[in-house]
Amino acid sequence: MVAVVGLTGCTTTVDLDPAESANDPLCAEVTSHLPGTVGGQARLWTDAQATGAWGEPGDSKVLLTCGVEPPGPTTLPCQDVAGVDWIIDDSDAPRFRVTTFGRTPAVEIYLDTTADENGDGVSSRDVLDALSPIVGVLPVDGQCLDRGEATPAP
């Protein structure tokens, strides 16, 4: 009993809000396969359905939320990683918000790539390389296009 209490005392739960479509069974498929480490960061417990977090207690470097509203057309950069298109919002760099494009339900990942006291930061490439194959189970209903391929709005 003492060991359990000691372990429980060290555990920190990350407080997150579930997305509107967090109860979609496809989100359960995604979150049930989340890895124990991402980008060198250990997984943390979260208190919201269809979410994941990695980092140190009190300092989450990676937050994942499944069931967010799928984004519409955008001029933000889009990157394909392992067959999953990700929209990259770097307006708060070195913190980034990346959201799947052309997948329903959509997944949003918040990355804090700020270097720690050892000069180490989370690599967005490592995070997307680890999570894209898992997110890839979500059905595809669109894809990013190069600007020249897009149809201009009327």
Side-chain angles (χ1 to χ4, degrees):
M1 181 76 172
V2 172
V4 172
V5 172
L7 291 174
T8 305
C10 296
T11 303
T12 300
T13 300
V14 178
D15 183 28
L16 295 172
D17 293 323
E20 186 174 319
S21 296
N23 63 348
D24 189 306
L26 291 168
C27 284
E29 180 71 19
V30 169
T31 56
S32 68
H33 291 95
L34 294 177
T37 59
V38 168
Q41 303 295 310
R43 187 160 178 199
L44 302 168
W45 291 105
T46 63
D47 64 355
Q49 183 175 356
T51 61
W54 294 265
E56 296 292 326
D59 187 24
S60 301
K61 295 294 187 182
V62 180
L63 301 172
L64 177 142
T65 304
C66 184
V68 299
E69 180 72 25
T74 181
T75 57
L76 289 172
C78 184
Q79 179 72 43
D80 175 286
V81 179
V84 177
D85 287 342
W86 295 95
I87 296 172
I88 303 164
D89 181 351
D90 62 357
S91 61
D92 193 26
R95 294 168 190 88
F96 298 87
R97 185 174 315 276
V98 293
T99 308
T100 55
F101 185 83
R103 306 262 174 173
T104 303
V107 172
E108 181 177 84
I109 299 173
Y110 176 81
L111 303 159
D112 184 351
T113 63
T114 307
D116 62 16
E117 62 278 352
N118 298 322
D120 298 324
V122 174
S123 162
S124 58
R125 182 48 131 193
D126 290 347
V127 170
L128 293 180
D129 283 346
L131 296 176
S132 290
I134 296 164
V135 170
V137 302
L138 299 173
V140 178
D141 55 16
Q143 67 182 33
C144 291
L145 301 173
D146 288 332
R147 191 174 183 102
E149 298 172 341
T151 304

